[in-house]
């Protein structure tokens, strides 16, 4: 079993997602679990949308959200083709309608809190992971979308939430590992989680890579397995520091392999 992490530039458009799907296909024998970031620049765009709404600019926020809607629709349509996209369109529409309703509420209050900011920003990974899962399915892979918020349990420190590791690991064992055993390819977003009360949280910028590391630990993989295959050398140092801080990751192998880049 392996964890494959695709960052924003790796899922930035239809061509990039198609390449990512081909990489996943090439690793099917290794039983992959896929973790994805939001499409490139979408997190920043959502932060801007939230700020506009929080400043009372309802129309401006909705206009920005409309641009994101069109980008995701166009990306999914190009990947899936007309017949498949027709059914999938409704699923994306539900998400964007929920985002629009949230923005109207924020604009009415005239303030955006860390809690509501987390909810706004979460749409990036929620949407990208659904698009990637549907793309894998359309290319003949038995992919299944998993909502990361049902797996990654955190505290309520919004915008910088701390994962609750042991229970999160238990959730991965109970909900993700059986899917892999059945030959399915779980696809989830990084960066997002939820509190025990089900309130959406984020674990800070760069949290997508952290989510992938947590997935690997939760599934019983060595940190070295995760890093060697899919994460850059810069992240290797980052995760080493996290290991020292939290002491929660599995041991690194004695013979330390050289990390390979995510573009490989």
């Amino acid at each position: 079993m392996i964890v494959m992490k695709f960052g924003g530039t790796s899922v930035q458009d239809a061509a990039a997602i198609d390449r990512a799907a081909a990489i996943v296909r090439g690793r099917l024998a290794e039983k992959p679990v896929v973790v994805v970031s939001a499409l490139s620049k979408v997190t920043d765009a959502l932060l801007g949308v939230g700020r506009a709404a929080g400043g009372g600019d309802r129309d401006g926020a909705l206009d920005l959200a409309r641009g994101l809607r069109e980008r995701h629709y166009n990306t999914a349509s190009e990947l899936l083709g007309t017949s498949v996209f027709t059914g999938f369109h409704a699923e994306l529409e539900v998400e964007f309608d929920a985002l629009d309703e949230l923005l109207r509420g924020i604009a009415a209050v005239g303030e955006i809190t860390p809690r509501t900011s987390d909810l706004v920003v979460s749409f990036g990974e929620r949407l990208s992971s659904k698009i990637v899962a549907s793309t894998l399915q359309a290319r003949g892979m038995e992919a299944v979308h998993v909502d990361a918020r049902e797996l990654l349990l955190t505290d309520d420190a919004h915008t910088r939430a701390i994962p609750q590791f042991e229970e999160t690991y238990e959730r991965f064992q109970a909900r993700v590992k059986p899917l892999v055993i059945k030959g399915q390819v779980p696809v989830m977003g990084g960066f997002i989680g939820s509190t025990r009360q089900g309130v959406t949280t984020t674990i800070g910028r760069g949290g997508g890579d952290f989510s992938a590391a947590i997935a690997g630990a939760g599934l019983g993989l060595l940190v070295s397995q995760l890093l060697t295959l899919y994460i850059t050398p810069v992240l290797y140092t980052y995760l080493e520091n996290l290991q020292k801080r939290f002491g929660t990751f599995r041991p690194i192998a004695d013979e330390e392999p050289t990390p390979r880049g995510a573009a490989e």
Side-chain angles (χ1 to χ4, degrees), residues 10 38 58 128 178 187 242 248 254:
S10 296
R58 169 182 159 173
S128 66
V187 180
L242 286 171
T248 53
D254 291 335

Side-chain angles (χ1 to χ4, degrees), residues 96-161:
F96 277 108
D97 287 350
L99 174 59
D100 285 352
E101 188 63 26
L102 175 61
L103 294 174
R104 292 187 186 97
I106 294 170
V109 174
E111 178 186 13
I112 184 165
T113 65
R115 173 171 168 161
T116 51
S117 179
D118 272 355
L119 186 54
V120 170
V121 173
S122 74
F123 281 91
E125 275 73 12
R126 288 158 60 179
L127 291 160
S128 66
S129 57
K130 288 185 175 183
I131 290 173
V132 170
S134 293
T135 298
L136 298 183
Q137 292 165 3
R139 282 148 183 73
M141 288 172 265
E142 196 174 347
V144 56
H145 178 260
V146 180
D147 190 334
R149 295 173 297 174
E150 298 177 359
L151 297 171
L152 181 54
L153 178 69
T154 73
D155 65 10
D156 60 359
H158 290 283
T159 74
R160 59 184 192 284

